Amino acid sequence: MFRVDKLNYYDKFSCSMGDCPENCCQMDWNILLDKAAYEKYQNCEDKRVSSFISDESPHLIMKKDGKCPFFQEDGLCFLHREYGAEFQCETCRNYPRFTSVYEDLYVVTLAPSCPAVLDILWEEEKTEIQTQMYYESQEELKEKEFHVSEEMAGKLAFRTQILKLAQNREFSLGNRVRMIMDSLGVPEVQADSFENAAWMLEFVQRKCLVNDKIKAQATMIKEKKTALCLETIKNAAETYQEFTKFFGHLLVYSIFEQVLHLKDNSEKTKQEWFEKICLRLATIQYWIVALYLAKGVVTREDCNTAVYSIMRVIDHFEGMWEDYYREWKRTGKKIPEVLW
Ligand code: SF4
């Protein structure tokens, strides 16, 4: 018997392929090969395939000019086109779907580093968690009760408690985040955090300019060189009230995707975990507010560019998010206020 927990919009995903505004195959990510794909590619008589496979373990697709060598100008995959979808490795077939396994529980998510996922979020009214049981024998079917360890049961109860607060639409997103922080005993947020926005913007400028679209945003923000102030932040939040729902989905995703990874149930671990989520969300939001200040307007597309680009760095490069958080802690600043 096992259980699958997934977000309600999971099955709505479909890859935009040639219409994708920023194809994932253009990212300088390591594309790890599963055993079956490695053997298939290695034994493939087509040198256009086998010559791009690394011999050393773990086996990877070797990049060409920082991109997947199978990515073609029309945005389609050479392997998919020549040999069909089944020929692709698991990494490519699955992205942006991710599965984490905890005992007999499978948690499946969609990564917001993919623009098609963000398009779904804009349209989704509410994020819900759907739970499905799978039974592998008649005996299990009779048993019905799903068992996890005491530690995992504690984490699941904690997830329920935090998600309830995160989804309470009677409050603004910033207030929901504060309520979660209160429940975790996190010290107060930085009320004047706009003064520290420069620190977050600098991080994005330094680490997250992974494509031409966010580079163009960075240039606009740099040229404007106006410091964020409380008034701009308030204006942006009031002008773009529909962003509350969008950022709310990102908050719920972050909690759902991260919470069962917690290394223990201690107060400190939970506080740090949530602070990191807040820092990530605030970084994206302050970037969007800075863009609003520079351009005078922010479109959904602008917002998507910022989210998928920043998430492609923070969410996918191991250690980057952790380093960012540690750097922030070293400054002695409190966690910035989450907006909207
Ligand atoms: S980023 Fe998403 S929509 Fe774009 S090509 Fe990759 S999986 Fe498809």
Side-chain angles (χ1 to χ4, degrees):
M1 179 195 310
F2 63 96
R3 189 175 108 183
V4 175
D5 287 1
K6 67 179 179 185
L7 298 172
N8 53 328
Y9 52 81
Y10 181 83
D11 294 325
K12 292 186 180 167
F13 171 74
S14 124
C15 174
S16 317
M17 298 205 274
D19 294 326
C20 179
E22 200 57 51
N23 201 299
C24 48
C25 319
Q26 297 181 83
M27 276 297 296
D28 198 1
W29 283 336
N30 283 335
I31 308 166
L32 272 178
L33 292 174
D34 54 288
K35 191 167 176 281
Y38 169 67
E39 284 168 4
K40 228 168 11 184
Y41 296 173
Q42 200 56 341
N43 297 328
C44 184
E45 286 178 5
D46 187 341
K47 291 284 166 244
R48 294 173 297 175
V49 177
S50 54
S51 60
F52 287 107
I53 307 308
S54 71
D55 289 331
E56 303 89 43
S57 177
H59 303 291
L60 305 165
I61 294 179
M62 291 188 289
K63 249 68 66 57
K64 195 174 155 198
D65 304 326
K67 296 178 190 173
C68 175
F70 304 124
F71 175 69
Q72 298 187 312
E73 283 313 306
D74 57 6
L76 299 177
C77 169
F78 169 79
L79 298 178
H80 189 290
R81 173 177 278 161
E82 291 286 312
Y83 297 99
E86 288 309 307
F87 197 72
Q88 288 182 301
C89 64
E90 279 178 12
T91 307
C92 298
R93 267 207 311 265
N94 291 342
Y95 180 83
R97 306 174 194 87
F98 287 91
T99 303
S100 303
V101 186
Y102 309 92
E103 302 172 15
D104 290 329
L105 172 64
Y106 291 71
V107 173
V108 292
T109 54
L110 285 177
S113 51
C114 162
V117 174
L118 299 181
D119 286 340
I120 297 172
L121 294 189
W122 284 108
E123 301 306 324
E124 205 60 35
E125 199 40 49
K126 195 171 178 212
T127 304
E128 314 258 20
I129 294 170
Q130 295 178 338
T131 290
Q132 175 92 45
M133 293 301 305
Y134 293 85
Y135 302 95
E136 293 165 296
S137 66
Q138 286 299 325
E139 284 70 39
E140 283 186 353
L141 201 55
K142 277 184 228 143
E143 199 182 318
K144 287 218 163 65
E145 278 288 311
F146 178 67
H147 298 286
V148 284
S149 66
E150 206 175 305
E151 192 190 343
M152 189 50 64
K155 286 181 184 172
L156 286 169
F158 177 60
R159 183 178 82 178
T160 306
Q161 173 206 332
I162 299 296
L163 284 178
K164 198 170 167 204
L165 293 171
Q167 291 181 298
N168 189 344
R169 299 229 184 135
E170 283 175 30
F171 300 96
S172 70
L173 190 64
N175 282 341
R176 282 180 245 164
V177 166
R178 243 175 270 148
M179 285 180 337
I180 296 174
M181 286 183 154
D182 284 348
S183 76
L184 299 178
V186 175
E188 285 222 332
V189 295
Q190 192 87 16
D192 60 349
S193 52
F194 58 91
E195 285 182 6
N196 298 321
W199 196 93
M200 290 183 273
L201 300 186
E202 199 266 332
F203 169 80
V204 179
Q205 296 268 11
R206 199 159 35 91
K207 302 279 190 188
C208 305
L209 305 189
V210 290
N211 57 61
D212 290 344
K213 293 190 182 78
I214 193 161
K215 279 182 194 157
Q217 292 187 347
T219 308
M220 265 186 265
I221 290 171
K222 238 180 173 170
E223 278 168 3
K224 190 76 183 177
K225 276 195 190 129
T226 315
L228 289 184
C229 64
L230 201 51
E231 207 189 339
T232 323
I233 291 170
K234 266 174 121 183
N235 269 344
E238 273 166 24
T239 312
Y240 299 105
Q241 286 180 16
E242 74 275 19
F243 285 22
T244 309
K245 201 174 70 178
F246 178 75
F247 288 126
H249 288 315
L250 286 182
L251 175 66
V252 171
Y253 156 79
S254 299
I255 294 169
F256 179 70
E257 197 263 331
Q258 293 282 322
V259 71
L260 302 184
H261 290 320
L262 288 175
K263 65 176 190 300
D264 56 56
N265 272 320
S266 73
E267 192 177 62
K268 187 168 182 285
T269 301
K270 288 175 178 169
Q271 286 178 350
E272 291 197 347
W273 159 75
F274 196 66
E275 282 183 350
K276 271 194 274 180
I277 287 180
C278 292
L279 183 59
R280 177 167 79 176
L281 200 53
T283 301
I284 293 170
Q285 291 183 327
Y286 282 86
W287 183 263
I288 288 167
V289 173
L291 189 65
Y292 168 69
L293 186 63
K295 269 183 83 180
V297 64
V298 189
T299 62
R300 266 188 194 194
E301 199 189 337
D302 292 326
C303 196
N304 281 3
T305 298
V307 175
Y308 68 70
S309 304
I310 296 171
M311 292 295 263
R312 280 180 183 194
V313 176
I314 298 187
D315 222 13
H316 290 275
F317 286 102
E318 214 172 313
M320 175 74 79
W321 188 12
E322 188 65 32
D323 291 348
Y324 179 38
Y325 171 69
R326 296 285 159 218
E327 254 183 74
W328 179 275
K329 289 298 260 190
R330 269 196 294 276
T331 64
K333 295 182 177 80
K334 290 175 194 160
I335 286 300
E337 193 171 16
V338 167
L339 310 175
W340 267 275

